[in-house]
Amino acid sequence: EVQLVESGGALVQPGGSLRLSCAASGFTVSRNYMNWVRQTPGQGLEWVSLIYSGDNTKYEDSVKGRFTISRDFSKNTLYLQMNNLGAEDTAVYYCTGGHSLDFWGQGALVTVSS
Amino acid sequence: QSVLTQPPSASGTPGQRVTISCSGSGSNIGRNTVNWYQQLPGTAPKLLIYPNNQRPSGVPDRFSGSKSGTSASLAITGLQSEDEADYYCAAWDDNLNGWVFGGGTKVTVL
């Protein structure tokens, strides 16, 4: 059974930084397409970032230069380093695995507020 | 404003058929496959249909998907109370170089 478990969500001040982790079991992070998708409270889904073969990465325009997606082969874990956070980044962040966003974690809440 | 357009709500009585539309453009649905996700209240989204019309293991066959041109649709036949959820369509967008989603459709079972 595939499990993706996010951690690292927190309340952070504007301009601050946070790193989200997504630990996988039953699924190999290094061999699959991995994405981060976020959902603002009561709103829809928004794609954030993708890492795929050869550690190529893509980012949604509003997070380019601020967010970095990466993965650790030995820990089978996906990360999202988020810098210079703003109120617009407040959301539940989901890690997803698979070419079709097949598997989803339970989400990590990030709140950016002073 | 979502890149893909879905109706905000749909409803039906138990046993009825409900369809949800998803409209996009040539850079997303027109060139790439469409996935559908179901989000039950208080839970994470779950893959329901991919690509266009396949169901992952465990998804009942009363859920079906189709695509034509720059639009797609999800049909739920024999609607059940446990189908009350938000449904999202998604596709890769070649111009934006990322996934785009619909705004979601809330299905209510009357």
Side-chain angles (χ1 to χ4, degrees):
Chain A
E1 183 197 1
V2 174
Q3 274 203 315
L4 301 174
V5 180
E6 298 95 337
S7 60
L11 170 63
V12 61
Q13 292 195 334
S17 297
L18 204 59
R19 188 177 82 157
L20 301 181
S21 301
C22 171
S25 58
F27 190 82
T28 305
V29 167
S30 61
R31 287 201 232 114
N32 283 279
Y33 281 58
M34 300 295 298
N35 289 265
W36 287 97
V37 175
R38 65 187 178 185
Q39 184 170 34
T40 48
Q43 299 300 312
L45 301 169
E46 180 185 37
W47 173 76
V48 174
S49 183
L50 160 68
I51 188 166
Y52 58 109
S53 55
D55 279 352
N56 291 296
T57 59
K58 294 183 186 292
Y59 298 92
E60 191 271 327
D61 280 349
S62 71
V63 308
K64 273 179 190 171
R66 300 189 300 124
F67 289 12
T68 303
I69 189 172
S70 63
R71 50 191 174 184
D72 185 321
F73 298 165
S74 64
K75 295 181 179 177
N76 203 27
T77 298
L78 177 73
Y79 300 101
L80 185 67
Q81 176 67 43
M82 303 183 292
N83 299 329
N84 192 21
L85 285 160
E88 67 278 9
D89 298 314
T90 293
V92 174
Y93 285 73
Y94 295 102
C95 80
T96 80
H99 208 274
S100 298
L101 310 181
D102 302 64
F103 306 103
W104 295 62
Q106 86 288 352
L109 177 60
V110 173
T111 303
V112 184
S113 175
S114 54
Chain B
Q1 187 86 3
S2 301
V3 174
L4 305 182
T5 302
Q6 296 179 236
S9 63
S11 63
T13 57
Q16 273 192 329
R17 173 186 166 99
V18 169
T19 61
I20 300 168
S21 61
C22 175
S23 176
S25 67
S27 63
N28 42 67
I29 295 178
R31 288 186 206 163
N32 299 299
T33 57
V34 177
N35 301 330
W36 289 90
Y37 303 87
Q38 178 193 58
Q39 186 173 32
L40 296 169
T43 70
K46 172 188 122 175
L47 180 64
L48 194 67
I49 295 287
Y50 80 108
N52 300 330
N53 56 14
Q54 304 300 306
R55 287 182 306 278
S57 173
V59 173
D61 59 6
R62 35 202 197 77
F63 293 95
S64 63
S66 63
K67 175 187 138 173
S68 178
T70 59
S71 293
S73 64
L74 173 72
I76 311 173
T77 55
L79 191 66
Q80 298 185 8
S81 58
E82 58 260 38
D83 299 333
E84 274 209 345
D86 293 322
Y87 293 84
Y88 295 90
C89 59
W92 184 263
D93 192 294
D94 288 342
N95 286 353
L96 297 175
N97 232 355
W99 285 94
V100 292
F101 290 89
T105 298
K106 184 175 186 64
V107 168
T108 302
V109 181
L110 301 171

